[in-house]
Each structure stands twice: as structure tokens, then as C-alpha cells.
């Protein structure tokens, strides 16, 4: 029943009682008959009943308001609490129900916001990492591009010296000059390999996605290294998980990564060495590849620097020191991770983790595309 | 067949003049132009059969220069020289009318082979289709 009606009822009772009391007082209590005196006592009782009803009603209203107030304070401090349902079905009960609904919706909204903030933080970290990589790529491309000009000049000048000397008759030091100029040209070719690799690194800021089978890609890459593998009689052990879920990523760039790491493994093992390649899933979030060799192994001091640019332990002239640096950058940009473990005397294992699907951080890819067009 | 006349367009003077000398060494009639503004007039005056065009010219897009040469109606072959070994450069140069693309620093033997090849191809097409221009239009 509505509160208003409850109040009207109580008020009506009071009115009736007051009028009656007035009448009785007017008559004087002694002048009453027994029946009338009985009626008087009944009226007093009714008045008391009315008072009790009204006080209870007031108390109930005050209590509900206090409860709501306390509940609201708890929400403000981040607490949540369940309350019992109100027994009566009046406006107070309705208010409490509405309030509880609002509280539930507020709670859901807060949870959604917290999730959204977490996602944003993640995206921001990705963007920063991607921006750093893009800056690095731009610097690398700029340096490579600038160096190409004087490099081309050196190439032509040394070439001209060689041309002149070869066509000269018998002159002193002819052979010496010829071999020296050839050496200059060979070293220019080394520089060119580095600048091209740096320029290639800059281009990797552009990612092209497709869905493909990682096992098939690894088989393809192993095929490229067939000559080296057969020459050294290296044994390739394949532990490729059957029915591996397909991956959506940049196939061309991953091809480069696997080529780099598998070739390193083949180079690291002795004659008839073993390279073990395994694929599988990781945590249901992505794929995991491991490339293990039974070569000599890598010292911890070297491992600490192994992903740095221009860091190589190969003899001069072999390798640019950029392979692992670029591979690391590619894997990170594709949302994955590249790690290495090694034990001296036992060998080295490279692990590549990749998500099933690359989550691109959009804008940088477009920027890099515009950049490289200017070169 | 006599060796083709070669014109080099590149604003890196040391590079262009040395390359030109080396081509002369190998029996080519070769000269170099260092400023983009002189390129088209030099082509009109000297009538080279092969043009080596640097894509990284100062002040003008190499691709625009390439299109301008093709549009000028001359029947020369254009080989593009660039510092960037990029797929999209190869594609764009081809579409703009280049006969070949070479990446700097250049290997002179490969350059000579490409000059001879593109020139003889162009020559053959010219003899069979006398009204055809070097960019394929009539």
C-alpha cells in the first residue's frame, strides 16, 4: 500500500480520535455512561495504535534512507555489499530495488572501464615500441642512403684505376696496383651489403598480413639452405607438430627470420652436426618454434649482446652483424618474442613465440610507407 | 652493331664523370650531364641511344624526369640508377617507361651488359616497327 495512503489512514484515525476526545472532554468524563466510557477507552487505545503505526512508518522511512545513504557511501569508497530485500512493497522497496539496479550497472561500467584502460596501456606500449623501431629504421635508412653516394664514387674511382692499370703496358708495380684496386672494390661490395640490409630493415616497418602454415614455411626455408646442409652433412631433425593451427602474420618477414636463425644454426654445428627444429602451440595464444643446434654453444657474455646491431662473432668479411638484430625487430613488431639459451659444450636454442594473429598498431605502418617512397 | 651513345644524368659529378670515363674505356661514346634542367635539351642535342638516369636528383623527382623524357618523344632507352633496391621502385620505374633498373653502387660489367641488351632490343623493335616509339606508343 502506498505510503500516502498509510499516512492518510493514520491521520484519519487521529482525526476520529481527536474529535471523539473533544466531545468527551466537553461532556465531562463523569457524565458518561458505561458504554460511553468504554468507547472512550477504545478511542485511547486506537490513538495509541495510530501513534505506534505512525512512528513505525517514520522509523522505516528514516531507516531506509539511512541504509541507502550508507550504501552510497560504500560505493563511493569502492566497496560492494548485498542487502536483503525489503519485506514491504511500497515506494521505499521500489527505491531500494532501483538503487540496487543502478549499483549493479555502475559496477559493470567500472569493470568495463578498467578493462578498456588496461587495453589502452597495452596498445600504448606497443605503439611506443613500434615508434622506437620506426625511428631506428628511419635513422638506419637515412645513414645508408647518405653513405651510398660516396660509396658509389669510391666504387667508380677504384674501378677506373683498375681499368687504367689493366690496359697499361709493362709498368712497375702493375700487379700490386691491380690487386689493391680490386680489394677496394670488394670492400665496397661489403659496404653495399650492409647498407642494403639497413635499408631493408627500414622497409620492414611495412607489414603485409596473410594466413599461412608455419610448418610449410619452415620446410621451404630449410630447402633454401639445402646446399650448405648437404655440404656439411648436417642432420636436420624435424619435430613439427601435425595439425598446427595456421598463423596470420607477415610471411615474407618471418621467412627472413627463420632463414637467418636456421642458417646460423647450420653454420654453428660441426660436420654431421644436428639441428633440431620444433613447432607447437603456446598457451593457446600462439605458436612456438625452437631451433636447437649441438654446436659449441655461446658464452653468456656474448649472449648479452647477441641481438645488438653490428654485433657478430664471425670472422671479418663474413656476416654483417645485423641478422639477429633485424630478426629480433621483426618478431617484436609481429607481436612475438625471440629468446636464446645456450650451454657451452652442448649447444644453443633459439625460441620464437608468435601470436596466432598479429595485432597491428596501424598508423606507423602507413607512415613508413610514405617515407620509403621518398628514397 | 656499333656501340650505343650513352648520356649519364646524375648530379653527383664525381660519380657521373668517372663512370663516363670507364664507359669510354670500354668503347662507348659517353658523356655526362649534372643538372636536371639541362637533361632534356642535352638529349635533344646529343641524340643518345641510351640514357642512364639517377633517381635521386636534387630538386626534381627522378620518376617525373623519367616520364618527361618518355613524353618528349625521343627514341632512347632509359636505364634508371637508384640507391634503393625496393620492389615498388622497380615497379614504378617500369610503369613510367624505364627499360631497366640498377642499384648503386653499380657493377660495371653488369651495367655494360644491360646497356648492350636494352639497346639491341630497342634497335630490333625499331627496325620491325618503324613507327613505334621507345615507350611503346605509335
Amino acid at each position: 500500500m502506498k505510503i500516502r495512503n498509510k499516512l492518510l489512514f493514520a491521520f484519519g484515525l487521529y482525526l476520529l480520535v481527536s474529535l471523539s476526545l473533544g466531545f468527551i472532554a466537553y461532556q465531562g468524563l463523569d457524565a458518561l455512561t458505561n458504554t460511553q466510557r468504554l468507547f472512550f477507552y477504545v478511542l485511547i487505545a486506537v490513538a495509541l495504535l495510530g501513534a505506534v503505526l505512525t512512528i513505525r512508518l517514520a522509523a522505516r522511512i528514516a531507516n531506509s534512507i539511512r541504509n541507502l545513504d550508507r550504501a552510497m557511501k560504500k560505493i563511493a569508497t569502492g566497496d560492494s555489499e548485498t542487502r536483503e530485500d525489503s519485506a514491504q512493497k511500497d515506494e521505499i522497496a521500489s527505491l531500494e530495488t532501483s538503487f540496487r539496479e543502478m549499483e549493479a550497472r555502475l559496477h559493470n561500467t567500472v569493470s568495463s572501464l578498467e578493462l578498456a584502460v588496461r587495453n589502452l596501456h597495452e596498445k600504448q606500449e606497443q605503439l611506443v615500441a613500434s615508434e622506437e623501431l620506426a625511428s631506428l629504421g628511419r635513422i638506419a635508412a637515412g645513414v645508408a642512403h647518405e653513405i651510398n653516394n660516396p660509396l658509389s664514387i669510391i666504387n667508380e674511382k677504384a674501378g677506373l684505376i683498375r681499368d687504367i692499370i689493366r690496359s697499361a703496358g709493362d709498368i712497375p708495380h702493375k700487379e700490386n696496383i691491380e690487386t689493391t684496386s680490386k680489394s677496394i672494390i670488394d670492400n665496397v661490395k661489403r659496404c653495399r651489403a650492409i647498407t642494403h640490409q639497413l635499408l631493408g630493415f627500414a622497409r620492414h616497418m611495412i607489414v603485409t598480413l596473410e594466413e599461412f602454415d608455419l610448418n610449410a614455411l619452415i620446410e621451404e626455408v630449410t630447402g633454401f639452405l639445402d646446399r650448405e646442409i648437404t655440404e656439411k652433412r648436417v642432420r636436420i631433425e624435424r619435430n613439427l607438430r601435425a595439425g598446427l593451427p595456421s598463423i596470420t602474420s607477415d610471411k615474407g618477414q618471418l621467412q627472413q627470420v627463420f632463414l637467418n636463425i636456421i642458417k646460423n644454426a647450420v653454420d654453428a654445428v660441426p660436420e654431421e652436426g644436428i639441428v633440431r627444429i620444433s613447432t607447437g602451440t603456446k598457451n593457446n595464444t600462439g605458436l612456438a618454434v625452437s631451433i636447437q643446434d649441438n654446436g659449441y654453444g655461446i658464452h653468456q657474455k656474448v649472449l648479452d649482446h647477441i641481438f645488438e646491431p653490428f654485433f657478430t662473432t664471425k670472422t671479418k668479411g663474413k656476416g654483417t652483424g645485423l641478422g639477429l638484430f633485424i630478426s629480433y625487430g621483426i618478431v617484436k613488431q609481429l607481436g612475438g618474442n625471440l629468446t636464446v639459451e645456450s650451454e657451452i659444450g652442448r649447444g644453443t636454442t633459439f625460441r620464437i613465440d608468435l601470436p596466432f594473429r598479429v595485432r597491428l598498431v596501424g598508423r606507423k605502418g602507413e607512415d613508413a610507407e610514405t617515407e620509403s617512397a621518398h628514397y | 652493331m656499333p656501340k650505343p651513345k650513352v648520356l649519364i644524368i646524375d648530379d653527383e659529378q664525381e660519380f657521373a664523370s668517372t663512370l663516363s670515363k670507364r664507359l669510354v674505356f670500354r668503347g662507348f661514346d659517353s658523356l655526362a650531364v649534372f643538372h636536371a634542367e639541362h637533361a632534356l635539351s642535352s638529349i635533344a642535342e646529343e641524340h643518345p641511344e641510351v640514357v642512364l638516369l639517377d633517381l635521386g636528383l636534387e630538386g626534381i623527382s627522378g620518376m617525373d624526369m623519367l616520364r618527361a623524357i618518355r613524353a618528349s618523344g625521343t627514341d632512347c632507352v632509359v636505364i634508371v640508377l637508384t640507391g634503393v633496391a625496393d620492389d615498388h621502385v622497380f615497379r614504378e620505374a617500369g610503369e613510367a617507361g624505364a627499360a631497366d633498373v640498377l642499384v648503386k653502387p653499380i657493377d660495371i660489367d653488369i651495367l655494360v651488359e644491360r646497356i648492350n641488351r636494352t639497346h639491341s632490343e630497342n634497335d630490333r623493335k625499331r627496325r620491325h616497327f618503324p613507327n613505334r616509339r621507345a615507350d611503346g606508343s605509335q
Side-chain angles (χ1 to χ4, degrees), chain B residues 12-123:
Chain B
E12 221 19 290
Q13 298 192 20
E14 294 264 36
F15 168 77
S17 54
T18 312
L19 181 59
S20 192
K21 284 189 192 129
R22 297 185 74 193
L23 287 175
V24 165
F25 225 89
R26 286 161 173 77
F28 291 88
D29 182 4
S30 173
L31 64 151
V33 153
F34 311 127
H35 299 290
E37 311 97 73
H38 302 154
L40 289 174
S41 51
S42 300
I43 293 177
E45 277 167 44
E46 304 285 345
H47 306 291
E49 275 109 345
V50 175
V51 169
L52 303 181
L53 172 65
D54 175 42
L55 273 193
L57 289 173
E58 280 284 311
I60 179 173
S61 143
M63 291 295 178
D64 286 343
M65 174 62 82
L66 172 58
R67 291 185 197 105
I69 296 176
R70 281 276 72 94
S72 72
T74 134
D75 193 26
C76 63
V77 155
V78 180
I79 296 177
V80 151
L81 306 179
T82 174
V84 180
D86 216 1
D87 279 340
H88 84 260
V89 168
F90 284 82
R91 219 177 333 122
E92 210 186 327
E95 283 165 16
D100 209 335
V101 179
L102 285 174
V103 181
K104 291 175 166 183
I106 306 172
D107 184 322
I108 190 89
D109 297 320
I110 294 179
L111 174 65
V112 166
E113 190 253 317
R114 299 289 175 89
I115 290 175
N116 287 332
R117 192 193 333 152
T118 51
H119 171 61
S120 70
E121 256 176 37
N122 195 34
D123 204 48

Side-chain angles (χ1 to χ4, degrees), chain A residues 51-176:
Chain A
V52 166
L53 283 179
T54 312
I55 289 169
R56 268 191 63 187
L57 185 61
R60 174 171 153 69
I61 293 176
N63 200 37
S64 294
I65 291 178
R66 215 173 330 153
N67 279 344
L68 283 174
D69 183 47
R70 193 178 48 213
M72 284 190 193
K73 282 201 171 70
K74 282 210 163 169
I75 290 199
T77 57
D79 238 344
S80 67
E81 164 196 290
T82 48
R83 274 173 308 287
E84 291 138 22
D85 267 339
S86 219
Q88 305 179 25
K89 298 221 182 302
D90 57 11
E91 291 97 323
I92 302 271
S94 168
L95 182 64
E96 288 187 344
T97 312
S98 302
F99 180 74
R100 216 162 300 134
E101 279 171 17
M102 180 201 74
E103 192 203 359
R105 196 157 336 143
L106 193 65
H107 193 253
N108 285 343
T109 307
V110 168
S111 299
S112 304
L113 278 174
E114 282 175 347
L115 185 65
V117 166
R118 258 201 311 276
N119 281 344
L120 274 175
H121 274 158
E122 239 177 67
K123 278 268 138 65
Q124 188 178 45
E125 270 173 24
Q126 268 186 28
L127 193 63
V128 167
S130 172
E131 267 179 28
E132 284 172 357
L133 219 53
S135 299
L136 207 58
R138 272 195 292 274
I139 293 173
V143 167
H145 198 63
E146 287 301 316
I147 286 186
N148 250 348
N149 287 334
L151 205 60
S152 299
I153 294 171
I154 294 172
N155 192 41
E156 294 310 317
K157 297 283 183 187
L160 183 59
I161 293 174
R162 191 158 172 242
D163 291 345
I164 294 171
I165 281 301
R166 275 160 129 192
S167 68
D170 246 335
I171 51 164
H173 311 293
K174 175 172 176 169
E175 201 182 307
N176 208 353

